[in-house]
Amino acid sequence: MRRAKITIIGAGNVGATAAHWVASKDLGDVVLVDVVQGVPQGKCLDLTETAPLEDIDVTLVGTNDYAETANSDVIIVTAGLARKPGMSRDDLLLRNAEVVSEVVRSSTQHSPDAFVIVVTNPLDAMCHVALKASGFPSHRVVGMAGLLDSSRFRAFIGMELKVSVEDIVAFVMGGHGDQMVPLPRLSSVGGIPLTTLLAPERIEALVQRTRMAGGEIVALLKTGSAYYSPSASAVRMAAAYINDRRRVIPCSALLSGQYGIDGLYIGVPILLGGKGVEQIFEIELNQDELAAMQRSADAVGELVEVLNKHGY
Ligand code: TXD
């Protein structure tokens, strides 16, 4: 059987760590691409030299040439600038649109059947850029954000209740940014509603921390943004596709009327399997939650308008 081939574009913190997760999970062969000469090659060589220690057989190739990515099953897009302290995700918009457009066009030419996972910020807007640059159907272009945001929410609930994160389901929808929509009402611990386990003000504090979790790490690191959990989330999504896991997870997907939103990428629960986005779940939201989704969609819509004006 042919091994899965996973192209990761951007050999920075998220991209290189994603390569590490792919290798450590033996998920498939990796091609790591960057504009910077030597860095993807050096990082892949270093990872290759861990293979004897970790007892893994994956091949890792670092390159600056998209020809090497040909016939990839999955393309993970992390190329771009990371947020600096004080910089909003939206400041990155046009700079990263240029990068994402270029790298998606170059990579999808060589892998016309690939599943594209966008990681670069501002996330939901970059999904639009990737969709257009690839010309792919929308079920093969998704964004990674909700899985990370819900993992952060789960981690914070676990820390608060001192219980295993394994038993925690935390629900986060909406755009990736300050407008995300964590839903405590649909979150639970071992099947017990979160709202019966914690006081409303504690839940609100955890929700706020989840909203600001990316910024919390930027403020601590000072020279970059989070990368362990973002890369792990992207690789989980790649695994769901490659192994046809049919997982139900939040991802940024193109909506066509669900939640009253049409033609915008936004975080929603999807069924992620071997065909990509196989279903978008439209769950019942109360009025406040729907309004929060709409605010989130408006924020994404504004960015998409700017992108459209600039030809992306
Ligand atoms: O939840 C999420 N979606 C995110 C998104 C969570 C964390 C990080 N998120 C975003 O991912 C972040 O805001 C950035 O937009 C990307 C990548 O973050 P990372 O921390 O990996 O940034 P780095 O370390 O600066 O790496 C970016 C790499 C770097 O090696 C550049 O040389 C490369 O991208 N780069 C390119 N590669 C190929 N082609 C082009 N044109 C290019 N431009 C830059």
Side-chain angles (χ1 to χ4, degrees):
M1 207 174 91
R2 177 180 170 271
R3 296 177 60 84
K5 181 169 177 179
I6 301 154
T7 283
I8 302 170
I9 311 177
N13 281 337
V14 177
T17 315
H20 186 193
W21 292 119
V22 170
S24 67
K25 290 176 186 302
D26 228 346
L27 185 62
D29 295 329
V30 174
V31 181
L32 184 64
V33 192
D34 204 285
V35 271
V36 180
Q37 308 247 335
V39 169
Q41 291 86 345
K43 289 190 178 179
C44 280
L45 186 58
D46 191 7
L47 278 168
T48 299
E49 291 163 4
T50 68
L53 305 169
E54 296 294 320
D55 192 21
I56 46 177
D57 297 313
V58 301
T59 307
L60 297 121
V61 175
T63 184
N64 311 106
D65 177 4
Y66 284 93
E68 303 234 36
T69 69
N71 300 318
S72 291
D73 299 287
V74 175
I75 298 171
I76 301 177
V77 180
T78 78
L81 299 182
R83 262 197 308 163
K84 307 271 177 334
M87 193 179 183
S88 81
R89 288 186 177 94
D90 302 351
D91 295 335
L92 293 172
L93 182 68
L94 289 172
R95 177 69 190 90
N96 280 353
E98 189 186 339
V99 170
V100 168
S101 178
E102 178 205 315
V103 306
V104 168
R105 192 163 293 126
S106 306
S107 57
T108 53
Q109 267 172 16
H110 293 281
S111 301
D113 299 320
F115 179 61
V116 177
I117 301 172
V118 179
V119 177
T120 306
N121 271 328
L123 192 271
D124 306 282
M126 289 305 113
C127 292
H128 284 266
V129 174
L131 182 74
K132 196 160 169 186
S134 64
F136 282 6
S138 59
H139 68 271
R140 283 201 282 126
V141 180
V142 290
M144 186 291 293
L147 191 56
L148 167 64
D149 296 330
S150 62
S151 177
R152 285 170 166 164
F153 196 12
R154 286 172 70 188
F156 299 148
I157 294 168
M159 283 148 80
E160 177 87 9
L161 291 174
K162 300 191 176 55
V163 298
S164 166
V165 288
E166 192 181 331
D167 300 320
I168 300 172
V169 174
F171 214 94
V172 180
M173 295 178 61
H176 182 56
D178 307 342
Q179 306 279 348
M180 79 175 71
V181 186
L183 293 178
R185 184 174 67 82
L186 298 174
S187 304
S188 60
V189 182
I192 306 162
L194 181 66
T195 47
T196 66
L197 293 172
L198 280 175
E201 56 278 12
R202 285 312 305 153
I203 293 181
E204 186 48 33
L206 301 186
V207 162
Q208 271 314 324
R209 190 169 182 194
T210 303
R211 273 210 184 93
M212 308 311 285
E216 185 178 358
I217 292 182
V218 170
L220 290 166
L221 295 182
K222 297 188 178 68
T223 55
S225 55
Y227 52 98
Y228 290 113
S229 52
S231 55
S233 306
V235 171
R236 285 272 166 177
M237 288 168 61
Y241 174 79
I242 289 166
N243 297 325
D244 192 16
R245 292 276 314 272
R246 297 178 63 76
R247 293 200 58 195
V248 178
I249 49 179
C251 296
S252 184
L254 186 67
L255 298 191
S256 52
Q258 299 91 338
Y259 304 98
I261 299 164
D262 194 18
L264 283 178
Y265 268 89
I266 198 121
V268 285
I270 66 161
L271 194 159
L272 180 52
K275 297 187 183 73
V277 182
E278 299 195 17
Q279 193 180 339
I280 293 175
F281 294 95
E282 190 170 11
I283 54 167
E284 207 169 308
L285 297 181
N286 64 32
Q287 283 206 329
D288 287 350
E289 293 160 352
L290 265 180
M293 275 297 274
Q294 194 52 55
R295 276 196 298 279
S296 220
D298 291 345
V300 177
E302 278 170 29
L303 300 187
V304 172
E305 247 176 60
V306 178
L307 288 174
N308 288 342
K309 263 189 215 136
H310 288 80
Y312 292 108

